[in-house]
Amino acid sequence: MDFLPSRLYHCAAIAAQERQRYASRCWHPVAAAAELPPDGALAVELLGMPLLLTRPGGGEPRAFFNRCLHRGVALLEPGAARSGCLRLVCPYHGWSYSLAGELLAAARESEFCAPFDRRAWPLERLLCRQLGPLIWVATGPDPLPLEQQLDLVLAEAGPLFEAPRQLLARQLTPLACNWKTAHDNTLDDYHVAIAHPTTLHREQGPVRDYRHGLSEHANLLSTPHADGGTFLTFGLLPWTHLLLWPDRRLALIQFLPEALDPQRCTMAVWLLGPEGDAVAATAWMAELQRFLEEDRRLVESAQRGYRSGLVPGPAHRLERRILQWQALYRAWMEPAITSSAAAARPPSPH
């Protein structure tokens, strides 16, 4: 099987279609479950959309668009969190909502120009689940079942993945490349020993010990860990990677598309684990960032190669995880890929 054509890595029309045909069919990790306590509220962002997470009464989390139904003002500022919260009040006109999304009251309610019914104005809700130590949100109405999206994680690392964890650190880094360039690279087991000899290669060990696992929607690289146990690296939809250590540490890496420029994305790195001190989390993040900085230079260089019209070369057996993911991407993105190929062809002289 051939790699994806290079035009898909810098085409604005494809980037727009990805949101509709690809991202909307997936679940997206938006917060650590430990960040949202009972009767808590948390403002997050997903693909440029302001979201509000709540946990009324300590039950299942809920997700809404973070905007008052009156004039769209955010109920919580981006990144803000509240605990022990009974209601959310819009700072613009004072509309107040329960954590379940119902409109509780509107200021001067009897004076609206038309008859007013609170029940007609609940917050706009999105699908939301907690699975493992993460809260997941879907942007489309009919996503892939979350257990199916995470089938390989649950099969290979079920109890280890589902163990409670705290968010220890979070870091965002801009990358001058398409998200697929960075996602491919993180699935690329062919380059690790060559590009990361003193960083990631030491963590993953010799290539002869690599074991791959593939399902319809996910893939895995499993290697023995020097401290005992197994180090697991999962490639997940839509642009997500989970790294799991035997000591219950978990790193989440995502490559989030830039809405206005298909040749840029943001790398989000979250570190989760048992409660630990800030110094240890800082050292762990610094260790990860050493090999991620090596990758940054590579993916930004590869992006320039794609932009110059590269026809990608043959696939190596250690790139099978890239091919697995790209096959799914092709299936979900047709006929947009075919349309982009037709648009890219020069007009016939006749």
Side-chain angles (χ1 to χ4, degrees), residues 287-305:
E287 179 185 349
L288 285 183
Q289 290 296 339
R290 278 194 287 275
F291 85 79
L292 292 172
E293 173 58 23
E294 293 167 345
D295 274 338
R296 183 193 62 78
R297 294 192 292 269
L298 293 171
V299 297
E300 291 184 350
S301 179
Q303 184 67 33
R304 292 191 290 272

Side-chain angles (χ1 to χ4, degrees), residues 89-284:
V89 181
C90 175
Y92 198 9
H93 297 103
W95 285 31
S96 63
Y97 299 86
S98 74
L99 296 191
E102 301 124 334
L103 180 63
L104 298 175
R108 297 188 172 89
E109 203 166 295
S110 63
E111 300 175 24
F112 282 98
C113 298
F116 185 78
D117 183 355
R118 296 178 193 169
R119 294 170 297 179
W121 300 97
L123 294 177
E124 300 159 283
R125 190 169 176 180
L126 295 90
L127 295 173
C128 183
R129 290 276 309 278
Q130 179 178 331
L131 186 57
L134 301 168
I135 294 174
W136 306 78
V137 169
T139 61
D142 189 26
L144 184 73
L146 182 55
E147 284 79 5
Q148 193 172 342
Q149 183 173 320
L150 300 182
D151 58 358
L152 205 55
V153 177
L154 298 175
E156 296 277 350
L160 180 63
F161 170 65
E162 295 174 358
R165 292 177 174 86
Q166 302 293 317
L167 180 68
L168 304 177
R170 181 185 278 127
Q171 186 166 317
L172 302 177
T173 304
L175 301 178
C177 70
N178 183 267
W179 69 268
K180 294 187 293 297
T181 311
H183 187 56
D184 286 349
N185 172 76
T186 310
L187 298 172
D188 184 352
D189 303 321
Y190 187 29
H191 85 292
V192 174
I194 300 164
H196 307 294
T198 64
T199 53
L200 183 59
H201 179 52
R202 290 185 176 178
E203 190 82 1
Q204 292 187 168
V207 173
R208 66 176 177 271
D209 293 332
Y210 283 13
R211 179 179 72 86
H212 288 103
L214 304 175
S215 71
E216 185 178 357
H217 301 103
N219 55 63
L220 164 68
L221 172 66
S222 172
T223 60
H225 196 268
D227 296 334
T230 306
F231 178 54
L232 303 173
T233 302
F234 293 95
L236 304 174
L237 296 172
W239 35 65
T240 302
H241 304 266
L242 285 180
L243 284 60
L244 273 167
W245 282 261
D247 61 5
R248 291 177 51 198
R249 287 182 297 150
L250 183 153
L252 173 75
I253 303 174
Q254 298 186 87
F255 300 105
L256 305 169
E258 169 58 54
L260 300 179
D261 186 350
Q263 297 196 83
R264 302 193 70 84
C265 67
T266 297
M267 178 175 64
V269 180
W270 304 358
L271 304 184
L272 298 93
E275 288 195 47
D277 62 76
V279 174
T282 300
W284 181 19

